[in-house]
Amino acid sequence: MTLTAMQHYWPLVLSNLKNTLPLSHFNTWFSAVKFKELSDDGRKITLIVPSQFNKTYLQSKFNSQIREAVQKYYPNVVHVEYVVEVEKDEEKPQSQSAIEFSVTETDDELDIVTKPKFAKPKNLHNLNPKYTFENFITTNCNELAVKVAKSIAAKPGQLYNPVFLYSGVGLGKTHLLQAVGHAVLEKFPSYQVRYSTCEQFFNLFLSSVQQRNNQSFKEYFRDVDVLLIDDIQFIAGKEATQEAFFHTFNELHQQNKQIILTSDKPPKSLGAIEERLISRFEWGMVVDISKPELEDRLNVLDHKLKQLNLNLPQEYLIRIGEAVNTNFRDLEGVLNRLQARLQLIPGKPLETYELEKVLSNFSGSLPIKINIPSVSAGPIELIDYICQITHVSKEELLGKSRQQNIAQARQIAMYGAKEFLHLSYPAIGSIFKRDHTTALHAWQKIHGLLGKDAWVTKIVDTLRVKMI
């Protein structure tokens, strides 16, 4: 494979690292890392880094994560080499952030220490331009969180304060948090919005103590209309930082300034955090983003396919939705890998074994199990079996034809999905590209024919034996 083709995988490696590491770590240490070459018959990858210190830090702190991410896309690589390539006689552009990073080295480890620039640059709020409500996919699992976020963006400080948003990784809480910031700035351009990770808050506080510049730290986080703090759970165990945040919180809350926090756990489940902070986290609105159901995952897949301009068979989407039952970030990662495969080898259809290879890393890669643990059956198996016994093709079954034999086979499949796979009507509708009311009607229709129509009854009885 050519160098150009192999280089196309590097953005996928970066995407994987961005999804697995804290965003502040990724932005600081990986944004300037570039692919140089693949050598030794694919066993060695060479990366370009901007400085010797960057090289040392990557090797000492992130080598295992880099190797793991690289081997997902370059499976033969056993050695990662870093080459320093510093731009000469060129002034490096300043990052559009309110925080300027410097680094110090201690006896135990290399620690990031932030050197704060407390001046408030115009229109720089540390917000990712992609993280807007328009780019956020609303599903059943996050619908309440989205409604709360939009309502407080319309009236910051007037409805729920604080808002404590929690979820597992990859479910969009950072996106939703920053979407509020963008919406506030759009409606109230003069408002001061401050987005910060908990780690950045800690680093700025530490730096302010070292530089005896506590007043500037206070102004930086308190002279705002909306404060957005991401991953507040990382304040655990940091007593002095908790004290600083406690007073920051009180000052803003007293002035009716909007505070929004995110975490991977609800307040009561956070350990090593003072009770007085926990109680304040619960003052306003605590809302969670739950783990996505199959229907949610299929909706996200459909949306992402349109964004990527990618076409995949419906049965492939069902298979991905079944297998990747973790979070939306993993779903997007799977689609990115499939897109890379289709772009690198154009004209060759994606084979089933290739899809299964991509899905093999996920805990839900086996089809949904029904009733008897030793027997696996899911929507794909059900559809295949219906097509086999009714002599209707999969394309016809999932298509728009209203021909009587095809429509009835489709209704039987929907009935089976409800009765034997225990899927919700919206989930069934997503699988068959229909409204949930159509799925409900199909169940009612077939249920009414049982015992009256011998052909339908026989197929359903056969299906029952097959599925359970």
Side-chain angles (χ1 to χ4, degrees), residues 232-285:
I232 193 64
Q233 73 271 10
F234 292 123
I235 206 172
K238 300 178 175 68
E239 294 182 5
T241 308
Q242 290 184 38
E243 180 78 16
F245 185 76
F246 173 79
H247 294 297
T248 298
F249 182 101
N250 285 348
E251 179 73 19
L252 293 175
H253 195 272
Q254 180 67 25
Q255 297 178 33
N256 293 321
K257 304 300 185 181
Q258 184 68 56
I259 303 168
I260 313 176
L261 312 170
T262 71
S263 172
D264 62 352
K265 301 181 185 68
K268 289 294 187 185
S269 299
L270 295 174
I273 295 180
E274 296 177 7
E275 185 60 35
R276 61 179 181 171
L277 274 178
I278 297 297
S279 67
R280 280 163 173 75
F281 293 165
E282 296 179 320
W283 273 358
M285 171 71 76

Side-chain angles (χ1 to χ4, degrees), residues 181-468:
H182 283 295
V184 169
L185 290 172
E186 183 175 349
K187 187 170 184 179
F188 308 99
S190 64
Y191 272 30
Q192 185 63 241
V193 174
R194 178 79 67 232
Y195 168 81
S196 173
T197 65
C198 185
E199 181 185 25
Q200 289 169 344
F201 183 92
F202 164 72
N203 288 333
L204 281 171
F205 171 68
L206 177 60
S207 183
S208 71
V209 172
Q210 292 173 339
Q211 299 176 21
R212 298 181 181 180
N213 197 11
N214 191 42
Q215 185 58 36
S216 294
F217 170 81
K218 289 180 180 179
E219 292 175 358
Y220 184 77
F221 281 104
R222 299 184 191 183
D223 189 13
V224 298
D225 299 287
V226 178
L227 179 62
L228 312 170
I229 301 292
D230 211 356
D231 290 323
I232 193 64
Q233 73 271 10
F234 292 123
I235 206 172
K238 300 178 175 68
E239 294 182 5
T241 308
Q242 290 184 38
E243 180 78 16
F245 185 76
F246 173 79
H247 294 297
T248 298
F249 182 101
N250 285 348
E251 179 73 19
L252 293 175
H253 195 272
Q254 180 67 25
Q255 297 178 33
N256 293 321
K257 304 300 185 181
Q258 184 68 56
I259 303 168
I260 313 176
L261 312 170
T262 71
S263 172
D264 62 352
K265 301 181 185 68
K268 289 294 187 185
S269 299
L270 295 174
I273 295 180
E274 296 177 7
E275 185 60 35
R276 61 179 181 171
L277 274 178
I278 297 297
S279 67
R280 280 163 173 75
F281 293 165
E282 296 179 320
W283 273 358
M285 171 71 76
V286 177
V287 64
D288 74 310
I289 298 177
S290 59
K291 190 174 180 180
E293 299 295 336
L294 178 60
E295 176 189 358
D296 299 321
R297 302 196 294 270
L298 291 174
N299 286 338
V300 169
L301 283 170
D302 184 61
H303 183 88
K304 292 295 183 183
L305 283 177
K306 293 175 182 176
Q307 285 186 333
L308 297 172
N309 194 26
L310 186 62
N311 292 316
L312 290 175
Q314 182 69 13
E315 58 266 30
Y316 280 17
L317 295 185
I318 298 171
R319 191 75 186 92
I320 296 169
E322 287 180 336
V324 188
N325 57 10
T326 49
N327 56 58
F328 299 142
R329 189 179 294 164
D330 286 341
L331 285 174
E332 187 169 4
V334 167
L335 291 184
N336 287 337
R337 291 188 66 182
L338 297 180
Q339 182 188 39
R341 152 60 182 85
L342 292 171
Q343 288 178 343
L344 292 172
I345 313 177
K348 180 183 178 183
L350 186 70
E351 300 291 343
T352 303
Y353 77 88
E354 293 178 285
L355 175 64
E356 293 300 331
K357 184 177 180 180
V358 173
L359 298 178
S360 63
N361 294 326
F362 296 95
S363 60
S365 58
L366 292 177
I368 299 173
K369 295 186 176 182
I370 307 300
N371 294 339
I372 302 175
S374 60
V375 177
S376 295
I380 292 178
E381 289 78 11
L382 183 144
I383 290 172
D384 286 343
Y385 192 65
I386 289 292
C387 291
Q388 178 185 339
I389 60 180
T390 61
H391 304 290
V392 171
S393 72
K394 190 176 297 184
E395 290 73 20
E396 291 173 329
L397 193 76
L398 298 174
K400 297 182 179 180
S401 174
R402 295 187 179 182
Q403 189 174 322
Q404 184 176 359
N405 67 314
I406 297 174
Q408 192 167 67
R410 187 182 301 124
Q411 289 175 337
I412 294 173
M414 291 183 177
Y415 177 87
K418 180 63 178 176
E419 284 294 305
F420 309 130
L421 302 184
H422 310 294
L423 300 181
S424 67
Y425 290 119
I428 297 169
S430 295
I431 292 171
F432 289 89
K433 299 181 180 179
R434 262 104 177 148
D435 188 80
H436 70 278
T437 57
T438 303
L440 172 61
H441 173 74
W443 184 92
Q444 293 172 335
K445 179 74 173 178
I446 299 303
H447 183 73
L449 291 176
L450 294 179
K452 299 176 183 178
D453 187 306
W455 185 79
V456 170
T457 302
K458 181 178 180 180
I459 289 181
V460 171
D461 287 343
T462 304
L463 187 63
R464 180 180 291 107
V465 174
K466 178 72 175 179
M467 291 292 104
I468 65 175

Side-chain angles (χ1 to χ4, degrees), residues 10 43-47 55 59 63 66-68 70-71 77-83:
W10 179 243
R43 294 191 295 270
K44 175 182 172 183
I45 188 171
T46 303
L47 306 177
K55 173 182 176 179
Q59 288 176 323
N63 200 52
I66 293 172
R67 186 182 298 276
E68 182 180 350
V70 164
Q71 288 179 341
V77 167
V78 294
H79 179 63
V80 179
E81 181 182 60
Y82 305 92
V83 175

Side-chain angles (χ1 to χ4, degrees), residues 5-278:
M6 296 307 296
Q7 190 171 358
H8 286 168
Y9 282 116
W10 179 243
L12 301 178
V13 176
L14 288 177
S15 177
N16 182 273
L17 288 166
K18 188 174 183 179
N19 291 336
T20 56
L21 295 171
L23 186 59
S24 59
H25 286 179
F26 178 85
N27 289 340
T28 304
W29 299 109
F30 292 93
S31 58
V33 179
K34 302 175 183 178
F35 175 94
K36 183 178 182 182
E37 63 181 1
L38 200 68
S39 56
D40 294 346
D41 295 325
R43 294 191 295 270
K44 175 182 172 183
I45 188 171
T46 303
L47 306 177
I48 300 173
V49 296
S51 69
Q52 180 62 40
F53 184 80
N54 188 282
K55 173 182 176 179
T56 302
Y57 200 86
L58 290 177
Q59 288 176 323
S60 64
K61 291 295 183 182
F62 298 108
N63 200 52
S64 61
Q65 293 96 322
I66 293 172
R67 186 182 298 276
E68 182 180 350
V70 164
Q71 288 179 341
K72 287 185 178 181
Y73 302 97
Y74 303 93
N76 295 327
V77 167
V78 294
H79 179 63
V80 179
E81 181 182 60
Y82 305 92
V83 175
V84 177
E85 185 173 281
V86 182
E87 296 179 4
K88 296 181 179 180
D89 301 323
E90 292 185 15
E91 183 180 353
K92 294 183 179 180
Q94 294 184 352
S95 172
Q96 289 196 353
S97 169
I99 299 172
E100 181 182 86
F101 290 98
S102 63
V103 188
T104 62
E105 187 172 344
T106 66
D107 293 335
D108 297 326
E109 62 179 352
L110 295 169
D111 295 313
I112 303 175
V113 178
T114 55
K115 179 182 179 181
K117 272 188 173 179
F118 291 108
K120 292 173 284 187
K122 186 177 180 181
N123 296 328
L124 298 183
H125 304 272
N126 297 342
L127 298 175
N128 187 324
K130 296 180 181 179
Y131 289 168
T132 64
F133 283 125
E134 289 73 20
N135 293 332
F136 191 86
I137 306 171
T138 303
T139 65
N140 292 331
C141 70
N142 61 32
E143 185 177 12
L144 176 60
V146 172
K147 288 183 177 179
V148 169
K150 288 184 175 180
S151 65
I152 60 177
K155 296 181 177 180
Q158 299 181 41
L159 297 175
Y160 316 110
N161 201 20
V163 170
F164 191 97
L165 178 65
Y166 71 94
S167 76
V169 298
L171 294 179
K173 57 182 180 291
T174 296
H175 187 150
L176 197 56
L177 180 68
Q178 295 197 33
V180 173
H182 283 295
V184 169
L185 290 172
E186 183 175 349
K187 187 170 184 179
F188 308 99
S190 64
Y191 272 30
Q192 185 63 241
V193 174
R194 178 79 67 232
Y195 168 81
S196 173
T197 65
C198 185
E199 181 185 25
Q200 289 169 344
F201 183 92
F202 164 72
N203 288 333
L204 281 171
F205 171 68
L206 177 60
S207 183
S208 71
V209 172
Q210 292 173 339
Q211 299 176 21
R212 298 181 181 180
N213 197 11
N214 191 42
Q215 185 58 36
S216 294
F217 170 81
K218 289 180 180 179
E219 292 175 358
Y220 184 77
F221 281 104
R222 299 184 191 183
D223 189 13
V224 298
D225 299 287
V226 178
L227 179 62
L228 312 170
I229 301 292
D230 211 356
D231 290 323
I232 193 64
Q233 73 271 10
F234 292 123
I235 206 172
K238 300 178 175 68
E239 294 182 5
T241 308
Q242 290 184 38
E243 180 78 16
F245 185 76
F246 173 79
H247 294 297
T248 298
F249 182 101
N250 285 348
E251 179 73 19
L252 293 175
H253 195 272
Q254 180 67 25
Q255 297 178 33
N256 293 321
K257 304 300 185 181
Q258 184 68 56
I259 303 168
I260 313 176
L261 312 170
T262 71
S263 172
D264 62 352
K265 301 181 185 68
K268 289 294 187 185
S269 299
L270 295 174
I273 295 180
E274 296 177 7
E275 185 60 35
R276 61 179 181 171
L277 274 178
I278 297 297

